[in-house]
Amino acid sequence: MTPEPLPNDSSSPLPEVAAGLTDLRALAYGGYSTVYRAWQSSVGREVALKVDHRTLEDERDRRRFLREAQAAGRMSGHPHIVHVYDAGVTPDNHPYMVMELCTGGSYAAKLKAQERLSPENVREVGVKIADALDAAHRAGILHRDVKPANILINRYGVPGLADFGLATVHEASRDTSVTVESLTPAYAAPEVFRLEHPGRAGDIYSLGATLYALLSGRPPRWPEHGSLSPVQLVELHNQPLPRLPQIPESLFRVLAKAMASEPADRYETAAQFRDALAALDLLDTAPSTPHASAAPLPAHSFADRVAADHATANDASGPTSFGRSRHALVLFGVLLGLLISVIALGTFFTLHHLDSNAQSGTAHGVICPIKTKQSSCPTAPQCFSQAGRDDSDFGASVPVNCDTPHSWETFAAAKVPASIATPSYEQLRSNAYVVTMCSNETLSRLVKAPTGWKISLLPPTKAEADAAGNSQALQFRCVAGKDQPSNGSTFDRK
């Protein structure tokens, strides 16, 4: 977490640090650290001193701090990475780092001041920070918390990537102490919330989201007020990326590819992202032709297209303007007629389908609270008289027809997270993503009154696990029921 500026009336106790740092003044603070402005007398310069609020109580803490300091130190020297000059531990056991003082503030401050950047400025920042990420990735380092608050501006106006506090070193031990809660959800990649192992694609997504925010004023898809629950965070990334009409279409497509929901659909490297940004012709504002490698984008609405045609007709000048306007009006009439026909036919078939369902009294579908490439609801009701685990801790169930008495029914299913090597019951139930999926919050999206329901987890069977060879090819199910067995599907009552 990057510290926020200190309020004018706040104060912070000054830490005891190594000799050579004097004139400490609190500059900013955050949940995990405080940043001070200090004078380094040995070389005669101002520096930033970041002191962690936590103490190094055990070897695990020391290992994490060492990883942070080494990662940051290895990257010092890149023109767009904030330099780290020194690191150590205070006499009262708080880790600290001495860094370059960036007097220009952060891009988060620009967002807070409602200052939006031009496409040209965003491209310039994106190229420089993507190059910094590429250097880090080639050194085997992931940043894992790219966001506007972690892009600082030095005294010369040059942007630099700061705070490798959540960085992971590939060759280091597999310490998974960094959790989802440590990240900034608004800029985190969707795979983070599936608790998959971090990768370079996550940093690329976060940089794309950061550049998008600098253009639009807030993170992509993120609500203007309030926070999101874990289930809502999963759903969020299944929504189309809102277009930004004030920017060139070519820039939007580059950002959309960087923020593709699936890591495999993004740029393979930060260098590719950098080069795609650098190659943009921002003077070309015409809609670009869809490209095979571009991420799928939401289509303009019918009203948007008609408005665009109408605006073109109104802007026309010269002796042909009346003809263009007349042509636009004729086109509008034809399209409007087609739209009315489609709506009428759609309404007829929808009402007919609903009427058929009502007459049959049988559920022909399942209302689904979550639907992504990783998680969904069954397309047809799935009922069980028994659902649990066998002696080997894998799934065991007895499927039955939903019109007969049953105790359990599937309300959600999802791919096994990549962090789980063996998809047994105990491994699944200890995973935060699985717990979020199989929760009362998810169930409450399906039934009017979830009180009194019991929820269970149904892992894949041992035979399925042996046949798949890869746990990520398997699914787990979230099932629910009541003590009194029921007849018929129960998850379409809302």
Side-chain angles (χ1 to χ4, degrees):
M1 175 178 179
T2 297
E4 295 294 333
L6 281 166
N8 293 331
D9 59 350
S10 65
S11 61
S12 179
L14 300 181
E16 297 180 36
V17 295
L21 295 182
T22 59
D23 300 332
L24 269 64
R25 287 167 288 166
L27 185 64
Y29 73 97
Y32 295 132
S33 61
T34 298
V35 176
Y36 301 87
R37 191 170 187 156
W39 179 256
Q40 191 175 27
S41 56
S42 59
V43 290
R45 65 183 173 192
E46 280 194 308
V47 296
L49 171 67
K50 176 183 174 182
V51 181
D52 203 307
H53 296 163
R54 296 158 294 184
T55 58
L56 301 180
E57 301 293 346
D58 53 33
E59 185 56 33
R60 175 175 173 273
D61 287 341
R62 294 179 182 276
R63 184 168 62 247
R64 180 173 177 173
F65 173 64
L66 179 61
R67 180 177 64 206
E68 176 178 348
Q70 289 177 342
R74 287 167 59 182
M75 298 315 305
S76 290
H78 190 282
H80 302 297
I81 292 179
V82 175
H83 298 177
V84 174
Y85 301 136
D86 194 12
V89 180
T90 65
D92 54 351
N93 216 28
H94 289 274
Y96 70 85
M97 300 179 74
V98 182
M99 303 176 294
E100 174 186 4
L101 178 64
C102 293
T103 56
S106 72
Y107 282 93
K110 293 181 178 293
L111 284 179
K112 192 172 183 179
Q114 299 183 339
E115 179 182 342
R116 298 186 185 183
L117 271 64
S118 67
E120 292 78 11
N121 287 341
V122 165
R123 177 180 63 179
E124 180 182 2
V125 172
V127 167
K128 292 174 179 178
I129 302 304
D131 190 69
L133 279 179
D134 178 60
H137 292 171
R138 285 189 284 107
I141 299 169
L142 303 178
H143 188 281
R144 295 196 66 189
D145 199 23
V146 179
K147 57 185 179 182
N150 278 337
I151 301 178
L152 307 182
I153 305 168
N154 69 15
R155 68 187 66 191
Y156 305 108
V158 179
L161 186 59
D163 198 356
F164 278 81
L166 293 175
T168 55
V169 183
H170 290 315
E171 63 268 24
S173 61
R174 293 189 176 183
D175 184 353
T176 58
S177 59
V178 178
T179 64
V180 173
E181 289 76 15
S182 302
L183 302 173
T184 306
Y187 299 97
E191 59 267 25
V192 168
F193 306 105
R194 303 193 294 265
L195 298 187
E196 297 177 3
H197 288 305
R200 299 175 180 179
D203 281 348
I204 293 172
Y205 178 97
S206 297
L207 178 55
T210 294
L211 300 179
Y212 183 102
L214 296 180
L215 287 164
S216 67
R218 71 171 189 255
R221 308 184 187 91
W222 203 254
E224 190 171 357
H225 302 289
S227 58
L228 299 178
S229 69
V231 171
Q232 290 172 320
L233 286 170
V234 174
E235 291 179 314
L236 183 75
H237 293 284
N238 198 41
Q239 299 175 7
L241 183 67
R243 287 183 178 272
L244 298 175
Q246 75 276 19
I247 72 168
E249 181 76 6
S250 56
L251 175 56
F252 180 85
R253 288 184 174 274
V254 169
L255 297 183
K257 182 175 176 63
M259 288 185 284
S261 295
E262 291 298 318
D265 294 333
R266 299 173 203 152
Y267 293 100
E268 291 184 10
T269 64
Q272 288 185 5
F273 186 20
R274 174 200 63 201
D275 295 343
L277 288 168
L280 286 174
D281 179 9
L282 297 182
L283 297 178
D284 180 14
T285 58
S288 57
T289 303
H291 192 277
S293 63
L297 302 177
H300 286 300
S301 68
F302 174 80
D304 289 338
R305 298 188 185 203
V306 170
D309 289 338
H310 186 61
T312 302
N314 286 342
D315 290 341
S317 60
T320 61
S321 63
F322 174 77
R324 291 176 183 173
S325 300
R326 183 178 179 183
H327 179 269
L329 288 173
V330 172
L331 178 60
F332 176 81
V334 172
L335 291 176
L336 183 59
L338 287 173
L339 178 62
I340 293 172
S341 300
V342 169
I343 291 174
L345 288 172
T347 303
F348 170 79
F349 285 115
T350 300
L351 291 174
H352 178 74
H353 178 70
L354 291 174
D355 183 62
S356 299
N357 283 353
Q359 291 178 8
S360 67
T362 304
H364 285 265
V366 177
I367 298 175
C368 189
I370 299 176
K371 189 174 182 181
T372 68
K373 290 185 178 181
Q374 290 73 35
S375 55
S376 64
C377 298
T379 55
Q382 298 176 357
C383 302
F384 309 90
S385 62
Q386 297 179 27
R389 49 179 168 162
D390 59 20
D391 293 338
S392 58
D393 210 32
F394 283 87
S397 61
V398 179
V400 295
N401 189 307
C402 288
D403 292 330
T404 62
H406 58 273
S407 301
W408 301 98
E409 184 174 345
T410 302
F411 66 89
K415 290 182 180 180
V416 173
S419 57
I420 298 178
T422 304
S424 63
Y425 179 86
E426 288 298 332
Q427 289 290 324
L428 287 167
R429 71 187 294 268
S430 62
N431 182 276
Y433 171 67
V434 176
V435 171
T436 296
M437 287 295 302
C438 301
S439 65
N440 276 315
E441 181 181 357
T442 306
L443 182 62
S444 66
R445 307 287 187 91
L446 294 163
V447 296
K448 293 179 180 178
T451 304
W453 290 77
K454 53 186 179 181
I455 296 176
S456 186
L457 167 67
L458 184 59
T461 66
K462 182 68 163 60
E464 289 172 338
D466 291 341
N470 184 335
S471 64
Q472 284 73 64
L474 297 168
Q475 281 194 330
F476 65 89
R477 290 182 175 87
C478 304
V479 296
K482 289 189 173 181
D483 292 331
Q484 181 66 33
S486 58
N487 296 332
S489 175
T490 55
F491 296 141
D492 56 347
R493 294 180 178 175
K494 265 201 168 183

